[in-house]
Each structure stands twice: as structure tokens, then as C-alpha cells.
Amino acid sequence: MSNFRRLDLNLLRVLVAIQATGSVTAAGRQLTLSQPAVSHALARLREFFGDALFVRSPTGLHPTRLAGRIVPAVTAYLRALETALAEAGRFDPSTDPVFWRLSMSDLGEILFLPRLVAALRGEAPLAQVDNAGVPLHAVAGALEARDVDLAIGILAPAQRDLVGETLFRERYVAVTANSWRPAGRATRTLSPRQLAAASLAVASPTATYHESVQRLLDELGLAGRTVVHARHYAALPELVTTTDLLAIVPQMYGRAMGERWPVRVWQLPGEPLQYDVRMLWHATATHEPAHAWLRALVVRLFARAAPRLPS
């Protein structure tokens, strides 16, 4: 028998139709093909399998022993394929199991993951989520390989096959303990002099938020004022509430800290350094129903989720 990989799978539909109808002509009507086209397909099948497959009888075409073994398996295969294709065109979050692999930094886990999972537990109870936390330089490759379905953070679609959607524009703020007092007159916004006199704590995550804070410190001329470099943002609330340190964090995280810790949020001097928080995915996933549903959920939960504090 010839190599199966060389078989035109469209011929299998002809094989099943002839078995079901017992006639080349009737199989053509079922498949919307001409009688010569079906006869040609049958000839190719016979050549491939090295068997007559069907023999004439007074009641029509009857399968040979080989066809009798093959056709039920082919029929089951085609039905399974039709079912899979039909299911691929829909997604019911309330009943369909699905596994999503995301990429967020540790700050993304703090800010996004709890709300996202809470929504999934209510709307997609069979969903599973894994945060891969892929480093920024590897995000594009992970999306292309489909090792990651969706990345959220300071991201830009640098490749043509990546698609991005902005969720909101973010800026940095300063956070201190409630008891911390700047030198001189205190307002909502710290002056350059007040900020330059502070001792800083910053986080340097390795995933999708990258080195944004360090760039900000360089622009403000504060690189030498950093006392503590933490690997994770989760360490900052206790650091600032138990010491005299000032932390520079994204505004959304500053607001979240203020809801749970005795901290004060300050605006930074000068023009705010702003950046876009985006979700990023591979173009091949754009029209997948489950993926589209997940993206819509992320937009519903987080788009414009960080209104600016008054200056």
C-alpha cells in the first residue's frame, strides 16, 4: 500500500459516500459532484489501496473485505473532524473547559490576576490559568510558539504577526508611610528638592514591566538615591510602612497600596512619565472564539482602570 501521507483526504468523502449509497451516481449527488468526477476519485482510491474496494452486484456496489474494514474507520474520522470543526467555531464559557497560559510580571499578578480569576470563576468555571511570567525579551517568541496565549504589561507589538490592544495609560507616583513628611511645605506633588532628599526603594521585576522605574530615576537624576532594590513589588508596602523609604510605583499599584496599607500617595514633579499598558497576542489567535472571549473579558475588567489622581 502507498504511503498514507500521500493520500488526498478529500477522496475519503467519496469512499464513505459510495459505501453509504451503493452507487457512483448517487454518491455524486450526495457530494454535489459529477458522475465522472466520482468515478475518477474511485479509480484513484483503487490505485492507492491496490484493491477494487467495491464490486458490482444486482443491488449496487458492495464493499470488498478491505473496504469493509476501512470505511467504518474513515466514517468515524470524518464525523470526529466535522464535530471538532463545529466546536472550534464556538465557545461557551459556562460549560467549555479551557486552559490559558498568560504572561504577567509579579505586579501584573497583584493587580490583574485576582480580579481576572474571580471573573473566570463566575463566568468560566472550567477555565484554568497559568501565569508564565515570561521575561520581556522572550515574550514575542513565546506568543509565536503559542507557549503563551496572552501577555499583559508594558508591551508593544514589535513583530508583524503580533497584535496589541491598549488597556490604559499609566504613570508613576511616589508612595510613603502616612507618617513620612517631606522637607518644607507639603502638597500633593513633591518638589524636585523634596524628592532628591528622599531615600528610595524600587522594584526591578524581570517580566513584562521591564526597567521602567530605573529609566524614570535616571530622568529625574535620582539613580544614586536608591537604598533598596527589591525583586518584587509585593515587598514595597512593608518596606515603606516600616521605614522612612519612599517607593516609586505605577499609580494603579499606589492606589491599591492605599486601600490596604497606611500609606500616602504623592505626585512626582515635572511632566509625568507615562506609558501604555497593553495586552499582546499572536495574530493567529485573533479569531479563536475562546481567545476572543478572554480578551473581551480583560478589556471589560481593566480598560481605563487607572484614572489619574488630581495633581
Side-chain angles (χ1 to χ4, degrees):
M1 186 182 296
S2 302
N3 192 319
F4 180 77
R5 287 176 293 181
R6 297 177 57 191
L7 175 64
D8 182 352
L9 297 184
N10 289 319
L11 298 178
L12 297 180
R13 296 175 63 241
V14 173
L15 186 68
V16 171
I18 295 176
Q19 165 81 340
T21 62
S23 163
V24 169
T25 302
R29 286 197 298 266
Q30 186 181 95
L31 299 172
T32 319
L33 294 174
S34 67
Q35 188 272 339
V38 176
S39 295
H40 178 67
L42 178 56
R44 292 177 61 191
L45 286 164
R46 284 169 168 166
E47 180 182 0
F48 179 84
F49 287 106
D51 187 86
L53 296 178
F54 297 98
V55 294
R56 294 191 179 278
S57 75
T59 58
L61 294 177
H62 281 248
T64 64
R65 289 189 177 185
L66 178 62
R69 295 197 305 270
I70 293 173
V71 173
V74 171
T75 302
Y77 164 79
L78 291 177
R79 286 176 178 170
L81 181 59
E82 289 176 1
T83 300
L85 291 174
E87 291 179 350
R90 66 167 184 83
F91 174 65
D92 184 347
S94 65
T95 59
D96 291 348
V98 64
F99 175 79
W100 283 302
R101 191 168 174 85
L102 310 180
S103 180
M104 297 180 286
S105 68
D106 70 308
L107 185 56
E109 281 199 341
I110 294 170
L111 296 177
F112 303 130
L113 194 59
R115 287 183 61 192
L116 177 60
V117 171
L120 290 175
R121 295 305 297 155
E123 301 179 39
L126 300 182
Q128 294 179 299
V129 176
D130 176 22
N131 178 33
V134 176
L136 181 66
H137 70 273
V139 167
L143 289 169
E144 184 173 8
R146 299 305 296 270
D147 292 332
V148 167
D149 297 301
L150 191 69
I152 302 175
I154 305 175
L155 301 163
Q159 297 178 200
R160 286 184 300 175
D161 52 359
L162 298 185
V163 184
E165 181 172 347
T166 299
L167 297 174
F168 56 86
R169 175 154 286 193
E170 181 65 296
R171 62 196 263 185
Y172 285 100
V173 295
V175 178
T176 66
N178 276 332
S179 58
W180 186 89
R181 293 291 180 269
R185 181 171 173 267
T187 64
R188 288 181 179 269
T189 301
L190 296 173
S191 69
R193 185 174 182 179
Q194 289 171 329
L195 191 58
S199 297
L200 307 182
V202 299
S204 303
T206 58
T208 54
Y209 273 86
H210 203 35
E211 296 108 353
S212 311
V213 174
Q214 190 59 49
R215 292 199 301 269
L216 173 63
L217 296 179
D218 292 340
E219 291 190 16
L220 295 174
L222 299 173
R225 299 298 304 168
T226 302
V227 174
V228 176
H229 277 96
R231 287 188 60 197
H232 304 289
Y233 274 94
L236 295 183
E238 190 162 0
L239 278 173
V240 300
T241 54
T242 58
T243 70
D244 63 341
L245 296 178
L246 176 150
I248 295 180
V249 301
Q251 178 176 268
M252 189 177 180
Y253 185 53
R255 294 176 64 233
M257 287 174 62
E259 294 173 357
R260 300 187 179 186
W261 295 82
V263 298
R264 181 171 180 179
V265 179
W266 309 80
Q267 299 301 300
L268 295 171
E271 289 296 320
L273 177 62
Q274 300 186 96
Y275 59 88
D276 290 328
V277 175
R278 296 184 180 93
M279 60 177 174
L280 200 65
W281 67 94
H282 197 272
T284 56
T286 297
H287 301 296
E288 290 181 6
H291 200 282
W293 183 89
L294 175 65
R295 298 194 311 269
L297 177 63
V298 170
V299 169
R300 173 158 55 90
L301 292 175
F302 304 116
R304 298 178 300 276
R308 293 190 180 96
L309 294 176
S311 302

